[in-house]
Amino acid sequence: MKKAIIVEDNLLIAVVYRHYLEKMNYKIIKEVTTGEMAIEVLSTEKVDIIIMDIMLNGIIDGIDAMVEIRKQTNCPVIFASGNSDSLNMSRASEVSNSIFLIKPVTEDDFTNAVYKMTGTTKPA
């Protein structure tokens, strides 16, 4: 079974992402609300996809967390944010193996992004 981590400080949105991923047969290894917690979890856990909000609780945002995480893994990441200003989009685009989705994210956009980033095909 493929594994995922959800980094999202809005509980309702995290539940929605969990639902989408579970429908795709992903095991959610952890849901965390800060970039610092994501870095800590991913220092020991291996996942197939990272779902990362940009504006998070804590000291660092999702982009800075991914810069740190990239020192350990090139795991695909889907950035999701309601803040689609050019600065954040530009910063996110500099993170390798990533895609940016603007909230609210539809189920189709989410699942298509997961399939694209993981190199898998959508079931017929």
Side-chain angles (χ1 to χ4, degrees), residues 7-10 32-36 38 52-63 65:
V7 187
E8 172 62 63
D9 57 3
N10 181 310
V32 297
T33 59
T34 69
E36 296 86 351
M52 178 72 73
D53 186 15
I54 291 180
M55 304 307 288
L56 294 165
N57 292 329
I59 298 169
I60 62 173
D61 68 13
I63 298 168

Side-chain angles (χ1 to χ4, degrees), residues 29-82:
I29 60 140
K30 201 79 166 171
E31 292 179 29
V32 297
T33 59
T34 69
E36 296 86 351
M37 289 167 51
I39 293 166
E40 183 178 326
V41 169
L42 291 166
S43 71
T44 59
E45 294 281 348
K46 301 298 178 214
V47 297
D48 299 290
I49 189 87
I50 300 165
I51 310 302
M52 178 72 73
D53 186 15
I54 291 180
M55 304 307 288
L56 294 165
N57 292 329
I59 298 169
I60 62 173
D61 68 13
I63 298 168
D64 287 338
M66 279 310 304
V67 168
E68 198 58 34
I69 291 164
R70 278 291 175 255
K71 295 176 183 175
Q72 303 168 45
T73 180
N74 196 38
C75 175
V77 60
I78 297 173
F79 286 112
S81 182

Side-chain angles (χ1 to χ4, degrees), residues 63-116:
I63 298 168
D64 287 338
M66 279 310 304
V67 168
E68 198 58 34
I69 291 164
R70 278 291 175 255
K71 295 176 183 175
Q72 303 168 45
T73 180
N74 196 38
C75 175
V77 60
I78 297 173
F79 286 112
S81 182
N83 188 350
S84 60
D85 65 71
S86 59
L87 176 60
N88 278 329
M89 291 184 79
S90 174
R91 288 177 58 226
S93 71
E94 293 175 10
V95 175
S96 64
N97 203 16
S98 69
I99 194 168
F100 189 97
L101 298 177
I102 298 170
K103 291 179 182 175
V105 178
T106 67
E107 184 173 3
D108 277 347
D109 287 345
F110 185 91
T111 56
N112 288 336
V114 171
Y115 289 127
K116 178 180 179 177

